[in-house]
């Protein structure tokens, strides 16, 4: 089986052992080192490490002081953590449809979704390519909206040279399958000194110093063990990204001009870090998306459906008063058609050829 992703943290062994031998394994100097390096990637002075990507989203919304009834406009085509974080922060989720070109929120749909109650715009930089921040930032400014980027899948991506995580509060996941991992972990990036200070207090049970409580806080801390896993990968980020980009280019070349298959592309002015390489199995394909996925699995080609439904299309959300169900036809179509193929940096040329050959065979190309 050629897996959809491969986790390789072997380079972290020396640093992890260093932490374990020190006897101090909670948040400490290794977390600070990781934060300093991550801030450079996002191009901002502050990176606040937390225990996972969902926490990063929740904490970012919490420090913005949202009140019941305040709305967050986001994407309906995303992992459920995006929606869960909005609800946990006590806000109301409202959705804007996406563009098929980049799988991210369509700025025109966002403009239609904004109401007087909207306080935050939360674009999701899905699969490794940023949303159209060139249009979203002015829109947010016109309406006085804070920007919280769900950049969980987009570490190192840029829009017109400006990195993901540099537009307000940037939220990254460091889960095991992400381009950079600490096994579990997350990071919040910002250029705002005040928000960064609030985040650091919030993640540490509301303490600025030991037993000096300033707010009702939480334990959102990252450990030095987790930070030690991530530091070597941050150092290798450029190499990891280049490998993913090469693999994506090979896949797009090999899968070109297949009836019923639409390959993804990098839009002008953006860089793509290819957390996922996601094709669309369109309505004129000889077999359905689910049939393609099953046949590829039979042939030993790992694949994934990210995501099979719009995020609110589940019983636990449909009747939630804080979830505003929207008409999102593009997102619904993409959810029926999207299929992700292996693009991870460990793929060999032979494996890439095998992926291309299997897809072409299944689609009769």
């Amino acid at each position: 089986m050629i897996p959809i992703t491969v986790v390789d943290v072997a380079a972290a062994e020396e640093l992890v052992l260093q932490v374990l031998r020190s006897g101090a394994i909670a948040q400490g100097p290794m977390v600070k080192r990781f934060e300093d390096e991550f801030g450079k990637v996002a191009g901002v002075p502050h990176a606040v490490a937390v225990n996972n990507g969902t926490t990063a989203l929740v904490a970012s919304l919490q420090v913005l002081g949202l009140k019941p009834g305040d709305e967050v406009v986001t994407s309906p085509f995303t992992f459920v953590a995006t929606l869960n974080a909005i609800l946990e922060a006590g806000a109301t989720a409202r959705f804007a449809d996406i563009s098929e070109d980049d799988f991210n929120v369509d700025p025109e749909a966002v403009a239609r979704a904004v109401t007087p109650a909207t306080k935050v715009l939360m674009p999701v930089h899905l699969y490794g390519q940023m949303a159209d921040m060139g249009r979203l930032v002015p829109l947010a400014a016109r309406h006085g909206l804070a920007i919280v980027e769900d950049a969980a899948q987009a570490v190192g991506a840029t829009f017109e040279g400006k990195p993901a995580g540099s537009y307000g509060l940037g939220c990254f996941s460091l889960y095991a399958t992400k381009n950079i991992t600490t096994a579990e972990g997350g990071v919040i990036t910002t250029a705002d000194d005040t928000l960064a200070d609030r985040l650091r207090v919030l993640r540490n049970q509301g303490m600025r110093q030991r037993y000096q409580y300033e707010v009702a806080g939480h334990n959102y801390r990252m450990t030095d063990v987790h930070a030690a896993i991530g530091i070597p990968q941050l150092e290798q980020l450029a190499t990891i990204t280049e490998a993913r980009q090469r693999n994506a280019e090979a896949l797009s070349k090999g899968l070109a001009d297949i009836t019923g298959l639409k390959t993804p592309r990098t839009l002008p002015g953006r860089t793509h870090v290819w957390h996922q390489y996601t094709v669309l199995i369109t309505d004129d394909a000889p077999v359905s998306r689910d049939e393609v996925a099953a046949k590829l699995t039979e042939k030993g080609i790992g694949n994934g459906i990210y995501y099979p439904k719009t995020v609110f299309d589940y019983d636990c959300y449909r009747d939630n008063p804080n979830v505003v169900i929207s008409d999102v036809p593009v997102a619904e179509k993409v959810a029926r058609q999207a299929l992700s193929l292996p693009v991870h940096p460990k793929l060999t040329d032979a494996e890439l050829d095998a992926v291309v050959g299997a897809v072409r065979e299944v689609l009769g190309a």
Side-chain angles (χ1 to χ4, degrees), residues 44-357:
V44 294
H46 303 290
V48 181
V50 291
N51 53 6
N52 59 63
T54 307
T55 293
L57 292 167
V58 173
S60 293
L61 293 173
Q62 288 174 331
V63 297
L64 291 175
L66 298 181
K67 300 177 177 60
D70 288 346
E71 295 179 354
V72 179
V73 173
T74 193
S75 172
F77 188 60
T78 181
F79 183 55
V80 71
T82 308
L83 175 53
N84 285 342
I86 295 169
L87 297 178
E88 185 172 341
T92 295
R94 188 176 288 274
F95 303 92
D97 207 358
I98 65 171
S99 166
E100 190 176 306
D101 288 338
D102 62 3
F103 306 115
N104 296 320
V105 285
D106 180 344
E108 293 183 5
V110 171
R112 293 192 295 270
V114 171
T115 75
T118 305
K119 296 295 185 287
V120 177
L121 171 57
M122 185 184 283
V124 180
H125 304 322
L126 201 68
Y127 300 145
Q129 181 167 212
M130 291 178 64
D132 187 350
M133 301 306 288
R135 296 165 67 192
L136 292 174
V137 170
L139 190 158
R142 286 197 302 272
H143 293 280
L145 309 180
I147 294 177
V148 176
E149 298 170 73
D150 185 339
Q153 302 180 6
V155 59
T158 62
F159 182 92
E160 297 181 349
K162 191 171 170 62
S166 63
Y167 286 87
L169 288 164
C171 301
F172 296 85
S173 170
L174 303 170
Y175 180 65
T177 58
K178 296 297 189 291
N179 292 24
I180 295 296
T181 182
T182 58
E184 284 279 10
V187 180
I188 307 161
T189 56
T190 184
D192 189 309
D193 297 344
T194 300
L195 290 179
D197 180 68
R198 290 178 188 170
L199 286 164
R200 292 188 178 106
V201 171
L202 182 69
R203 75 171 171 185
N204 190 34
Q205 297 289 10
M207 292 188 292
R208 183 171 299 282
Q209 297 176 5
R210 192 166 181 81
Y211 304 129
Q212 180 185 332
Y213 302 105
E214 296 190 1
V215 296
H218 305 271
N219 178 0
Y220 288 160
R221 296 184 299 266
M222 177 185 281
T223 72
D224 266 18
V225 176
H226 288 90
I229 294 171
I231 287 169
Q233 292 175 70
L234 272 181
E235 295 170 347
Q236 299 167 14
L237 178 59
T239 301
I240 292 169
T241 301
E242 288 167 6
R244 287 179 175 273
Q245 290 169 339
R246 281 196 308 273
N247 292 343
E249 184 178 359
L251 289 170
S252 291
K253 183 177 179 180
L255 297 174
D257 303 320
I258 298 177
T259 299
L261 183 142
K262 181 179 178 181
T263 56
R265 63 191 183 98
T266 303
L267 297 185
R270 310 186 205 187
T271 60
H272 204 315
V273 298
W274 299 104
H275 172 64
Q276 298 291 350
Y277 182 91
T278 302
V279 301
L280 297 180
I281 308 300
T282 59
D283 293 341
D284 56 344
V287 290
S288 71
R289 186 271 310 275
D290 291 352
E291 289 174 305
V292 173
K295 290 180 182 296
L296 288 178
T297 300
E298 290 174 5
K299 294 177 178 296
I301 307 298
N303 59 87
I305 297 172
Y306 311 114
Y307 301 94
K309 295 182 178 181
T310 53
V311 72
F312 52 73
D313 191 16
Y314 296 88
D315 289 343
C316 57
Y317 299 117
R318 286 195 193 96
D319 296 326
N320 190 314
N322 290 330
V323 177
V324 180
I325 304 298
S326 307
D327 183 23
V328 289
V330 179
E332 289 171 352
K333 183 180 78 166
V334 169
R336 294 194 305 269
Q337 297 180 346
L339 180 67
S340 295
L341 303 172
V343 74
H344 60 80
K346 297 298 180 180
L347 288 167
T348 65
D349 290 345
E351 288 173 328
L352 286 165
D353 289 343
V355 173
V356 169

Side-chain angles (χ1 to χ4, degrees), residues 6-18:
V6 169
V7 179
D8 180 6
V9 294
E13 182 176 348
E14 182 179 341
L15 276 184
V16 171
L17 288 174
Q18 180 181 323

